[in-house]
Amino acid sequence: MSSKNFNLAALAGDGIGSEVMREAIKVLRAIEKRFPLQFNITEAPVGWAGIDAAGKALPDTTLELCRKSDSILFGSVGLPDRDPTIPKEERPERAALLRLRKEFGLFANLRPVKLHKQLAHACPLNLDRQAGGIDILVVRELTGGMYFGQPKKTEEIVIADRQDGNLHPVLRAIDTMVYTTPEIERIAHVAFKAAQLRRKKVTSIDKANVLENGVLWRDVVTRVSKEYPDVTVEHMFVDNGAMQLMLKPTQFDVMLCENMFGDILSDEAAALAGSLGMLPSASLGATNGDQTFGFYEPAGGTAPDIAGKNLANPIAQILSVALMLRYSFGQNDAANAIDDAVSKAIASGLRTGDIFNPADPAAKKIGTREMGDAIAAGI
Ligand code: IPM
Ligand code: MG
């Protein structure tokens, strides 16, 4: 049987990026041995690695490679120690990550949060609150809202002092939250379609009691929901949503969020899965034929404090590979093989430090590399 070929750009970035990327590639190589799939993987620098190699967070050659690839496998970028030393527009988060999202129109961000049974103790909630299982898909709009809206600037203005009436210069920062109907429609469709393949419930998050954006969001989502009569839709204010995640996370199936609310709630939800190191993420653009260009990354950061020490949890990066096989290439069997291998590694007691509980007699603390080896062996 001839095998299918895919071109991948692997951008490991900074901090723990290269360590967890190495394990993800190891797992891809294991997939090649078992399935008729082949991956041409080209690595390129991004983030501070890009600045050090070519003077910018997203070097032209890296961007060119991404354009020629079928998908991007991304690590993470940004180093809190170095970031403040350059202008904010040039920092890795904005100049590489946000730029790539915009450049490739990656409007749909999917973040599946699933608490493995054996990690119940790593979840900050007690067992009662986990009963029934925590299995949430956060669908986050990724190219609109406050992250990209214009104007976006910090400016000096003059205001009158309340005491003496004298004029004083002060700084004023402005971010703009803006959404158009089509932007809300397309992400709503993604959420409802995803729900049809799951437990058929969408909880749409907004702040319709205060924000114009919230009112429009709710109207559009309600209208789109009519096209999916098999899916239950519910609307929730974001503050209540944050609270409900703590009180009764099992009520959620798909959570549909605008950009900033999704950023915040997906981290909160990730903590429920035991660690940010367990949370993969898929960022998708438009579909072309049977392939969707996607950008796959762990949702955790660069964790410079543990970088280079073989301590990072590679599972989020490895699960991101599974998302890529599923969403970009339609290779569900291969994706399931990765998900199963991760479950097996966890079931056998293997734990990186972030999910290790010394009180669990079956748990064995291992490093990044060993976790990658075990998962690759389980494919
Ligand atoms: C995320 C991250 C990014 C975001 C940062 C690094 C810009 O927090 O992917 O959730 O806010 O989108
Ligand atoms: Mg975030």
Side-chain angles (χ1 to χ4, degrees):
M1 187 164 40
S2 76
S3 67
K4 272 195 163 170
N5 261 278
F6 299 102
N7 295 318
L8 304 182
L11 318 183
D14 309 318
I16 60 170
S18 55
E19 287 167 89
V20 293
M21 183 65 81
R22 188 188 58 219
E23 303 314 313
I25 291 175
K26 196 184 276 177
V27 171
L28 267 173
R29 296 301 178 212
I31 286 290
E32 284 179 326
K33 295 215 179 83
R34 206 185 123 193
F35 296 89
L37 303 172
Q38 262 208 308
F39 303 99
N40 309 317
I41 303 172
T42 311
E43 302 193 39
V46 72
W48 277 102
I51 295 171
D52 291 341
K56 40 185 184 169
L58 183 62
D60 300 343
T61 47
T62 300
L63 180 58
E64 208 35 57
L65 168 72
C66 292
R67 289 210 178 98
K68 286 189 308 208
S69 301
D70 296 316
S71 271
I72 304 172
L73 205 50
F74 196 83
S76 45
V77 293
L79 294 172
D81 282 353
R82 296 182 68 184
D83 292 347
T85 64
I86 54 173
K88 46 188 187 299
E89 304 73 37
E90 295 170 22
R91 292 180 198 161
E93 270 99 340
R94 284 202 203 180
L97 189 55
L98 297 187
R99 167 95 198 278
L100 282 166
R101 287 174 181 171
K102 204 61 176 179
E103 183 79 29
F104 291 99
L106 306 168
F107 69 93
N109 183 216
L110 309 183
R111 298 186 164 180
V113 174
K114 194 169 174 169
L115 176 61
H116 288 259
K117 273 205 232 40
Q118 295 88 352
L119 295 184
H121 66 270
C123 173
L125 300 185
N126 65 28
L127 293 176
D128 284 349
R129 296 213 158 125
Q130 304 171 20
I134 297 176
D135 184 0
I136 304 170
L137 178 68
V138 179
V139 174
R140 169 186 175 194
E141 200 292 326
L142 204 59
T143 50
M146 199 118 69
Y147 286 43
F148 292 97
Q150 294 295 335
K152 184 181 197 68
K153 61 181 170 184
T154 303
E155 62 191 9
E156 195 174 275
I157 59 164
V158 175
I159 58 167
D161 187 279
R162 266 194 279 172
Q163 309 284 312
D164 57 21
N166 288 337
L167 296 178
H168 291 282
V170 295
L171 290 178
R172 172 165 71 179
I174 300 175
D175 293 283
T176 305
M177 185 170 186
V178 50
Y179 272 107
T180 59
T181 311
E183 284 177 305
I184 304 171
E185 276 168 358
R186 65 181 181 178
I187 192 71
H189 282 292
V190 170
F192 283 102
K193 290 200 170 90
Q196 283 182 319
L197 301 174
R198 296 171 46 98
R199 303 194 305 284
K200 301 193 168 54
K201 179 176 174 189
V202 169
T203 305
S204 177
I205 301 293
D206 63 46
K207 189 72 185 170
N209 50 348
V210 178
L211 301 177
E212 291 294 318
N213 269 274
V215 175
L216 183 64
W217 184 272
R218 194 171 282 218
D219 285 352
V220 174
V221 172
T222 302
R223 184 152 41 72
V224 170
S225 73
K226 308 278 190 255
E227 294 176 41
Y228 302 87
D230 54 329
V231 178
T232 307
V233 63
E234 188 179 86
H235 301 273
M236 201 178 267
F237 295 141
V238 60
D239 45 352
N240 186 31
M243 182 172 74
Q244 292 301 325
L245 270 175
M246 290 298 107
L247 296 180
K248 199 170 181 256
T250 56
Q251 72 185 286
F252 296 111
D253 177 17
V254 173
M255 289 182 99
L256 168 61
C257 307
E258 65 85 42
N259 202 345
M260 184 171 63
F261 296 162
D263 184 24
I264 297 168
L265 293 187
S266 63
D267 270 25
E268 189 189 355
L272 299 175
S275 163
L276 211 45
M278 297 292 296
L279 184 66
S281 153
S283 305
L284 307 175
T287 299
N288 215 332
D290 59 355
Q291 253 177 251
T292 303
F293 186 87
F295 177 98
Y296 298 87
E297 60 176 328
T302 50
D305 51 320
I306 59 165
K309 298 182 180 158
N310 199 39
L311 290 175
N313 186 346
I315 290 181
Q317 187 82 57
I318 291 169
L319 289 176
S320 298
V321 169
L323 293 181
M324 176 183 78
L325 295 174
R326 197 182 301 284
Y327 291 122
S328 279
F329 307 143
Q331 301 296 326
N332 291 330
D333 291 345
N336 290 339
I338 296 181
D339 289 344
D340 292 348
V342 167
S343 297
K344 253 192 288 178
I346 290 171
S348 71
L350 300 178
R351 305 280 186 270
T352 42
D354 56 320
I355 49 174
F356 177 71
N357 176 7
D360 178 354
K364 184 169 170 237
K365 196 168 179 176
I366 56 165
T368 311
R369 205 182 280 275
E370 294 71 34
M371 184 62 98
D373 286 342
I375 295 168
I379 297 291

